[in-house]
Coordinates of all heavy atoms in Angstrom, one line a residue:
K258 N 31.9 36.5 -23.4 CA 32.3 36.7 -24.8 C 32.6 35.5 -25.7 O 32.1 35.2 -26.9 CB 33.7 37.5 -24.8 CG 34.4 37.7 -26.2 CD 35.7 38.3 -26.2 CE 36.4 38.3 -27.5 NZ 37.7 39.0 -27.4
N259 N 33.0 34.4 -25.0 CA 33.2 33.1 -25.7 C 31.9 32.5 -26.1 O 31.8 32.0 -27.2 CB 34.1 32.1 -24.7 CG 34.4 30.9 -25.4 OD1 35.0 30.8 -26.5 ND2 34.1 29.8 -24.8
L260 N 30.9 32.5 -25.2 CA 29.6 31.9 -25.5 C 29.0 32.8 -26.8 O 28.3 32.2 -27.7 CB 28.8 32.0 -24.4 CG 29.0 31.0 -23.3 CD1 28.0 31.1 -22.1 CD2 29.0 29.5 -23.7
V261 N 29.2 34.1 -26.7 CA 28.5 34.9 -27.8 C 29.3 34.5 -29.1 O 28.6 34.4 -30.1 CB 28.8 36.3 -27.5 CG1 28.4 37.3 -28.7 CG2 28.0 36.7 -26.3
L262 N 30.6 34.4 -29.1 CA 31.3 34.0 -30.3 C 30.9 32.6 -30.9 O 30.7 32.4 -32.2 CB 32.8 34.0 -30.2 CG 33.4 35.4 -29.9 CD1 34.9 35.3 -29.6 CD2 33.0 36.4 -30.9
Q263 N 30.6 31.7 -30.0 CA 30.3 30.4 -30.4 C 28.7 30.4 -30.9 O 28.5 29.7 -31.9 CB 30.2 29.4 -29.1 CG 31.6 29.0 -28.7 CD 31.6 28.0 -27.5 OE1 30.9 27.0 -27.6 NE2 32.2 28.4 -26.4
S264 N 28.0 31.2 -30.3 CA 26.6 31.4 -30.9 C 26.5 32.0 -32.2 O 25.9 31.6 -33.1 CB 25.9 32.3 -29.9 OG 25.7 31.6 -28.6
R265 N 27.5 33.0 -32.4 CA 27.6 33.6 -33.8 C 28.1 32.7 -34.8 O 27.6 32.6 -35.9 CB 28.4 34.9 -33.7 CG 27.8 36.1 -33.0 CD 28.6 37.4 -33.3 NE 27.9 38.4 -32.6 CZ 26.9 39.1 -33.0 NH1 26.3 38.8 -34.3 NH2 26.4 40.2 -32.5
M266 N 29.0 31.8 -34.4 CA 29.5 30.7 -35.3 C 28.4 29.8 -35.8 O 28.3 29.6 -37.0 CB 30.6 30.0 -34.6 CG 32.0 30.4 -34.6 SD 32.6 30.4 -36.4 CE 32.5 28.7 -36.7
L267 N 27.6 29.3 -34.8 CA 26.5 28.5 -35.2 C 25.4 29.1 -36.1 O 25.0 28.6 -37.0 CB 25.9 27.8 -33.9 CG 24.7 26.8 -34.1 CD1 25.1 25.7 -35.0 CD2 24.3 26.4 -32.8
L268 N 25.3 30.4 -35.7 CA 24.2 31.2 -36.4 C 24.6 31.4 -37.9 O 24.0 31.2 -38.9 CB 23.9 32.6 -35.7 CG 22.8 33.3 -36.3 CD1 21.5 32.7 -36.4 CD2 22.7 34.8 -35.6
G269 N 26.0 31.7 -37.9 CA 26.5 31.9 -39.4 C 26.5 30.6 -40.2 O 26.2 30.5 -41.3
T270 N 26.8 29.5 -39.5 CA 26.7 28.1 -40.3 C 25.3 27.9 -40.7 O 25.0 27.4 -41.7 CB 27.1 27.0 -39.2 OG1 28.5 27.4 -38.8 CG2 27.0 25.7 -39.9
I271 N 24.2 28.2 -39.8 CA 22.9 28.1 -40.2 C 22.6 28.9 -41.4 O 22.0 28.4 -42.3 CB 22.0 28.3 -39.0 CG1 22.1 27.4 -37.9 CG2 20.5 28.5 -39.5 CD1 21.3 27.7 -36.6
Y272 N 22.9 30.1 -41.3 CA 22.8 31.0 -42.5 C 23.4 30.5 -43.7 O 22.8 30.6 -44.9 CB 23.2 32.5 -42.2 CG 22.3 33.2 -41.2 CD1 23.0 34.2 -40.5 CD2 21.1 33.1 -41.2 CE1 22.3 34.9 -39.5 CE2 20.2 33.8 -40.3 CZ 20.9 34.7 -39.5 OH 20.1 35.4 -38.6
T273 N 24.5 29.9 -43.7 CA 25.2 29.3 -44.9 C 24.4 28.2 -45.4 O 24.2 28.1 -46.6 CB 26.7 28.9 -44.5 OG1 27.5 30.0 -43.9 CG2 27.4 28.3 -45.6
D274 N 24.0 27.4 -44.5 CA 23.1 26.1 -44.9 C 21.9 26.6 -45.7 O 21.5 25.9 -46.6 CB 22.8 25.3 -43.7 CG 24.0 24.5 -43.0 OD1 25.0 24.5 -43.7 OD2 23.9 24.0 -42.0
E275 N 21.3 27.8 -45.1 CA 20.0 28.3 -45.7 C 20.3 29.2 -47.0 O 19.5 29.8 -47.4 CB 19.4 29.0 -44.6 CG 18.8 28.2 -43.5 CD 18.1 28.8 -42.3 OE1 18.3 30.3 -42.4 OE2 17.5 28.3 -41.6
E276 N 21.6 29.3 -47.3 CA 22.1 30.1 -48.4 C 21.7 31.6 -48.2 O 21.6 32.4 -49.2 CB 21.4 29.7 -49.8 CG 21.9 28.2 -50.2 CD 21.3 27.7 -51.4 OE1 20.5 28.5 -52.1 OE2 21.7 26.6 -51.9
K277 N 21.8 32.0 -47.0 CA 21.7 33.4 -46.7 C 23.1 33.8 -46.6 O 23.6 34.2 -45.4 CB 20.9 33.6 -45.4 CG 19.5 33.1 -45.5 CD 18.7 33.4 -44.1 CE 17.2 32.8 -44.1 NZ 16.5 33.1 -42.9
Y278 N 23.8 34.0 -47.6 CA 25.2 34.2 -47.4 C 25.7 35.6 -47.0 O 26.6 35.7 -46.4 CB 25.9 34.1 -49.0 CG 25.6 32.7 -49.5 CD1 25.1 32.6 -50.9 CD2 25.8 31.6 -48.8 CE1 24.9 31.3 -51.5 CE2 25.7 30.3 -49.3 CZ 25.2 30.2 -50.6 OH 25.0 29.0 -51.1
A279 N 24.8 36.7 -47.3 CA 25.4 38.0 -46.7 C 25.2 37.9 -45.2 O 26.0 38.4 -44.4 CB 24.3 39.0 -47.3
E280 N 24.1 37.4 -44.8 CA 23.9 37.2 -43.2 C 25.0 36.4 -42.6 O 25.6 36.8 -41.5 CB 22.6 36.7 -42.9 CG 21.4 37.6 -43.2 CD 20.8 37.4 -44.6 OE1 21.6 36.9 -45.4 OE2 19.7 37.6 -44.9
A281 N 25.4 35.4 -43.3 CA 26.5 34.4 -42.7 C 27.7 35.2 -42.7 O 28.5 35.0 -41.7 CB 26.6 33.2 -43.6
E282 N 28.1 35.9 -43.8 CA 29.4 36.5 -43.9 C 29.4 37.7 -42.7 O 30.5 37.9 -42.1 CB 29.6 37.3 -45.1 CG 30.9 37.8 -45.4 CD 31.1 38.7 -46.6 OE1 30.1 39.0 -47.3 OE2 32.2 38.7 -47.2
K283 N 28.3 38.3 -42.4 CA 28.4 39.3 -41.4 C 28.6 38.6 -40.1 O 29.3 39.3 -39.2 CB 26.9 39.9 -41.4 CG 26.6 41.0 -40.3 CD 25.4 41.6 -40.3 CE 25.2 42.6 -39.1 NZ 23.8 43.1 -39.1
E284 N 28.1 37.6 -39.8 CA 28.4 36.9 -38.6 C 29.8 36.5 -38.3 O 30.5 36.7 -37.4 CB 27.4 35.6 -38.4 CG 25.9 35.9 -38.2 CD 25.6 36.8 -37.1 OE1 26.3 36.7 -36.0 OE2 24.6 37.6 -37.1
F285 N 30.5 35.8 -39.5 CA 31.8 35.4 -39.4 C 32.7 36.6 -39.1 O 33.7 36.5 -38.5 CB 32.1 34.6 -40.5 CG 31.3 33.3 -40.6 CD1 30.9 32.9 -41.9 CD2 31.2 32.5 -39.4 CE1 30.1 31.7 -42.0 CE2 30.4 31.4 -39.7 CZ 29.9 30.9 -40.8
L286 N 32.4 37.7 -40.0 CA 33.3 38.9 -39.8 C 33.1 39.6 -38.4 O 34.2 40.1 -37.9 CB 33.0 39.9 -41.0 CG 33.3 39.4 -42.3 CD1 33.0 40.5 -43.4 CD2 34.8 39.2 -42.5
S287 N 32.0 39.5 -37.9 CA 31.8 40.1 -36.5 C 32.6 39.3 -35.5 O 33.2 39.8 -34.5 CB 30.4 40.1 -36.1 OG 29.9 38.8 -35.9
I288 N 32.7 38.0 -35.7 CA 33.5 37.1 -34.9 C 35.0 37.5 -34.9 O 35.7 37.8 -33.9 CB 33.4 35.6 -35.2 CG1 31.9 35.1 -34.9 CG2 34.4 34.7 -34.4 CD1 31.7 33.8 -35.4
L289 N 35.5 37.7 -36.2 CA 36.9 38.1 -36.4 C 37.2 39.5 -35.8 O 38.4 39.8 -35.5 CB 37.2 38.0 -37.8 CG 37.3 36.4 -38.2 CD1 37.4 36.4 -39.8 CD2 38.2 35.7 -37.6
E290 N 36.2 40.3 -35.7 CA 36.5 41.7 -35.3 C 36.7 41.5 -33.8 O 37.6 42.3 -33.2 CB 35.2 42.5 -35.4 CG 35.1 43.1 -36.9 CD 33.8 43.9 -37.2 OE1 33.1 44.1 -36.1 OE2 33.6 44.2 -38.3

Side-chain angles (χ1 to χ4, degrees):
K258 175 183 173 181
N259 185 50
L260 288 177
V261 172
L262 294 181
Q263 290 182 54
S264 297
R265 288 194 178 279
M266 271 294 302
L267 182 54
L268 186 58
T270 303
I271 291 173
Y272 286 150
T273 301
D274 293 345
E275 295 175 345
E276 298 183 353
K277 298 178 180 178
Y278 298 135
E280 291 91 335
E282 184 178 31
K283 180 182 177 182
E284 294 299 329
F285 297 137
L286 291 176
S287 68
I288 293 171
L289 294 172
E290 287 177 4

